[in-house]
Amino acid sequence: MRKGVVNRCKTTEKGLPRDERVLKSLLDPSRLPRHVAVIMDGNGRWAVKRGLPRSVGHRAGADSLREIVRLCVELGVPVLSAYAFSTENWRRPSEEVSFLMDLFVEYARREVAELKQNGIRVRVIGRVEGLPPAVLDAIQMLDGETRGGSRLVLNLAVNYGARWEIVDAVRAIAGKVQAGKLGPEEIDETVISAHLYTAGLPDPDLLIRPAGEFRLSNFLLWQLAYTEFYITPVLWPDFGRVDFLQALVSYQRRERRFGGVNR
């Protein structure tokens, strides 16, 4: 890269350029995160700021997810987890909840061909048994159509809550202990991880938290123990390729010590 290129690009408050080509040149492909988690927050606020119905914001948020999924495949990020609908979101107005359920079904039907073509394996994590029949059908369809995907695992957290995930894991482990298939002394971090919804996948290396919030919102509490956080004021519908690349560059500039010390 020529000297001074970064300085001539429009930069953010973090000092990172807003130029996709330059950001890609700053990335080390060998040090990309194995797993990126995103909390898709700010859809409603995005719409309200524009005098639009909240549903418009949710649809724009789905479009942002599509672009980030495409970029993950392009870059070679192996796993992306997106927080789509939490167990607490049922408290929202019934019209908004119904729209979100319908949007999931629409997204699944519209995107499945591209997801399959691009080698994307879709997994829905959460208490799926509590979802409407049409959503369950869409989940089954996505699972069947994309099962052979090997370029990206896309985890969609729907009716998901991290505390319930841990409860479900504990219940499953307790059942094995009760049945004599597992001894209490055998229970360790590996056993617990193997009973979570994300079993078999690496824990997230990077969590992207848009909308300027500083809370986890009951998302992947166990898995995020040593994850690097990237917090941005950008609302999710405005979060695009450049924003994602900025997050990756910021991630690669950090030193991950996992409780150790600098040497």
Side-chain angles (χ1 to χ4, degrees):
M1 184 175 61
R2 297 190 311 275
K3 183 178 179 179
V5 168
V6 173
N7 291 333
R8 290 199 296 272
C9 296
K10 183 179 179 182
T11 59
T12 67
E13 69 279 2
K14 295 180 181 294
L16 293 173
R18 292 288 302 174
D19 182 282
E20 182 173 329
R21 178 183 61 84
V22 174
L23 286 165
K24 285 182 176 179
S25 75
L26 295 174
L27 283 177
D28 179 353
S30 68
R31 295 194 301 114
L32 289 171
R34 298 171 302 162
H35 185 171
V36 178
V38 296
I39 299 175
M40 301 188 294
D41 198 9
N43 296 335
R45 275 171 280 173
W46 181 90
V48 169
K49 283 176 62 176
R50 290 161 174 76
L52 300 169
R54 289 174 61 86
S55 58
V56 177
H58 292 307
R59 189 174 294 280
D63 292 339
S64 291
L65 178 60
R66 180 193 302 112
E67 288 305 309
I68 300 308
V69 168
R70 289 171 175 169
L71 183 55
C72 283
V73 172
E74 180 183 324
L75 295 174
V77 175
V79 184
L80 175 68
S81 292
Y83 203 4
F85 189 87
S86 75
T87 50
E88 291 79 19
N89 286 156
W90 295 107
R91 302 171 187 167
R92 295 186 177 187
S94 58
E95 296 82 3
E96 184 172 355
V97 171
S98 295
F99 177 83
L100 288 169
M101 295 297 112
D102 291 343
L103 182 61
F104 179 89
V105 175
E106 177 189 332
Y107 178 90
R109 292 173 178 170
R110 187 183 67 220
E111 304 295 330
V112 65
E114 180 178 334
L115 292 167
K116 185 176 181 179
Q117 180 180 358
N118 289 336
I120 300 167
R121 168 79 166 96
V122 180
R123 292 176 39 168
V124 176
I125 60 174
R127 289 192 159 184
V128 296
E129 65 275 5
L131 295 168
V135 177
L136 290 174
D137 289 343
I139 291 172
Q140 186 176 11
M141 181 270 294
L142 284 171
D143 179 71
E145 291 292 327
T146 69
R147 187 168 296 181
S150 59
R151 297 181 68 188
L152 172 71
V153 174
L154 172 60
N155 289 317
L156 295 176
V158 183
N159 200 23
Y160 173 90
R163 289 186 172 182
W164 275 118
E165 178 182 23
I166 295 171
V167 167
D168 289 343
V170 171
R171 286 176 176 172
I173 293 169
K176 289 184 177 180
V177 171
Q178 188 175 37
K181 298 178 179 179
L182 185 69
E185 70 283 356
E186 297 178 275
I187 301 172
D188 57 14
E189 291 185 18
T190 301
V191 170
I192 293 174
S193 293
H195 288 81
L196 297 174
Y197 302 152
T198 54
L201 298 175
D203 289 339
D205 296 302
L206 173 65
L207 170 70
I208 297 174
R209 189 51 162 109
E213 302 293 352
F214 288 81
R215 58 179 180 269
L216 289 178
S217 299
N218 200 19
F219 187 47
L220 300 177
L221 298 180
W222 176 276
Q223 297 91 330
L224 294 176
Y226 286 101
T227 300
E228 297 292 328
F229 287 16
Y230 180 83
I231 297 171
T232 173
V234 178
L235 301 177
W236 179 250
D238 287 328
F239 193 93
R241 293 171 61 93
V242 165
D243 302 285
F244 190 78
L245 289 167
Q246 286 182 330
L248 295 183
V249 170
S250 175
Y251 164 81
Q252 290 193 346
R253 289 179 174 179
R254 304 179 191 183
E255 182 180 357
R256 305 187 72 196
R257 296 189 297 274
F258 298 97
V261 296
N262 291 322
R263 292 187 178 181

